[in-house]
Amino acid sequence: MGELVDKRILLGLTGGIAAYKAADLARGLIKEGADVQVVMTEAACKFVAPLTLQALTGKPVFTSMWDDRIGNGMPHIELSRDRDLIVVAPATADFIAKLVHGAADDLLATLCIARKSRLMIAPAMNRQMWENPATQRNIRQLRDDGIFMEGPGSGDQACGENGMGRMSEPAQIVESIISWFQPKLLAGARIIVTAGPTYEPIDAVRGITNLSSGRMGYAVARAALESGADVTLISGRTSLVPPSSATLIPVVTAREMHDQVMSHVADTDIFISVAAVADYRVKNRDEHKKKKTDAGLKLEFTENPDILESVAASENAPFCVGFAAESRDLETYAHEKRLRKNIPLLAANLVQDALNSHENELILIDDEGMHRLARSPKLDQARGLIRHITKLYKPSRKPVTAR
Ligand code: C5P
């Protein structure tokens, strides 16, 4: 089912070359089930025909304050009421300046100032225009006014230059809108998520690690942010871009991860341990590169601390969630692991289902038994996990100490 069913979105287009991408954006929103009403500025109509957007949305496109198709002659009031969100994409430098000053000299600007709903903009302009101090000042002002910003990104521009100012891709804007609508079930909760693999050095250039892309952990961090939580992501080495509003603490070894988690745990309400932590580290680790000898190589291992167990056993322990990745007998091992680690909730998956995949199939195990999530993208699984946590987690405000 679409993620935006029952959501009423007003999509505004202003006059930039990225307006052609707004047609794709309208399609993406409709595909997710949204009701989309398009409004275009006069300049936007120079770049794409209103008919294109009309055909895609199946609704008349409005462009003028003086449109008499709206019964009471007040399209700025009529169109902005009962909308859940106004999205302006692309938002030009000129339109951004208008928003800052509350100008109301065309239909779209007037709608924005008359709105009751939230406003999201996707800026799009040449890099010099984006970097101009006036634009940067305006962007800061809009952020202070509570206007949500998607992008811009960096890359090739229609003018032939390369830099910041490209409008975010339509799929990215749709994703942001979906995130934005997620219920804020964990508003204010402080959550630590561990993610990715740890790496245990053998010598200066070699080491042992676990296979883990970090995707599941990063998706959990993102779903936690979407639900209104304050998220600290303690991550082993991955090639992923962390969600921008998480506090990222990069680590390499299991002991580093352990120390970082333990130094933050007193101020944590929920701990979600997704990382693939190496159970052992090399005892006879060499600072320099080991040389090949006829005697071969013997490594000795010593056990790493179990981070999840340490957190669960700590005084005033946060609500703890573990992960179990198994290659066989998933349910048996997972039940046993939850009891051994003494945690209220464990998410189990088969490594064959999760590794090298953007999808997963979690089984959530709690005191009540097992809850299966149907196979879906990792972000969906993460949202399912967060929803389940909100059913079990009872907030008990811990004192705040300096982080
Ligand atoms: O015991 P096992 O490694 O299978 O348990 C998996 C769970 O325990 C995961 O949540 C993982 O993040 C956590 N873990 C840990 N510290 C370790 C090993 C695993 O926190 N040293």
Side-chain angles (χ1 to χ4, degrees), residues 194 210 254 257 271-280 304-310 321-326 337 340-341 343 346-347:
T194 63
N210 287 338
M257 187 174 273
F271 175 56
I272 313 179
S273 182
V274 196
V277 186
D279 290 327
Y280 298 94
N304 272 327
D306 190 304
I307 305 167
L308 182 54
E309 265 182 51
S310 313
V321 183
F323 266 70
E326 303 291 347
K337 199 164 284 184
R340 179 163 37 87
K341 304 222 178 203
I343 53 173
L346 184 129

Side-chain angles (χ1 to χ4, degrees), residues 203-321:
D203 64 15
V205 294
R206 306 180 183 96
I208 54 168
T209 188
N210 287 338
L211 284 179
S212 166
S213 66
R215 277 191 209 112
M216 193 65 229
Y218 278 52
V220 169
R222 178 152 168 209
L225 285 165
E226 286 175 0
S227 71
D230 169 7
V231 176
T232 300
L233 175 61
I234 302 182
S235 173
R237 285 177 179 158
T238 75
S239 57
L240 303 174
V241 179
S244 57
S245 31
T247 304
L248 177 74
I249 303 182
V251 293
V252 177
T253 66
R255 277 199 298 181
E256 283 171 26
M257 187 174 273
H258 173 268
D259 293 351
Q260 284 295 342
V261 169
M262 295 317 284
S263 73
H264 288 81
V265 82
D267 298 334
T268 299
D269 302 302
I270 301 174
F271 175 56
I272 313 179
S273 182
V274 196
V277 186
D279 290 327
Y280 298 94
R281 65 179 179 275
V282 178
K283 207 170 170 188
N284 48 340
R285 171 186 167 184
D286 209 323
E287 289 305 311
H288 298 285
K289 187 176 172 189
K290 285 182 190 291
K291 290 288 159 211
K292 236 195 297 189
T293 65
D294 291 342
L297 176 66
K298 280 207 176 66
L299 294 176
E300 244 190 284
F301 291 95
T302 183
E303 209 171 325
N304 272 327
D306 190 304
I307 305 167
L308 182 54
E309 265 182 51
S310 313
V311 173
S314 64
E315 204 185 329
N316 284 325
F319 181 87
C320 287
V321 183

Side-chain angles (χ1 to χ4, degrees), residues 98-140:
K98 273 191 200 179
L99 284 178
V100 168
H101 292 284
D105 61 350
D106 66 10
L107 177 59
L108 186 58
T110 312
L111 270 168
C112 287
I113 194 167
R115 76 186 186 277
K116 275 184 165 173
S117 60
R118 301 291 299 276
L119 173 60
M120 175 190 279
I121 62 169
M125 65 199 75
N126 159 272
R127 75 181 169 88
Q128 304 277 8
M129 294 169 83
W130 174 253
E131 284 161 13
N132 188 291
T135 307
Q136 288 304 309
R137 206 165 44 236
N138 289 342
I139 291 289
R140 277 194 299 278

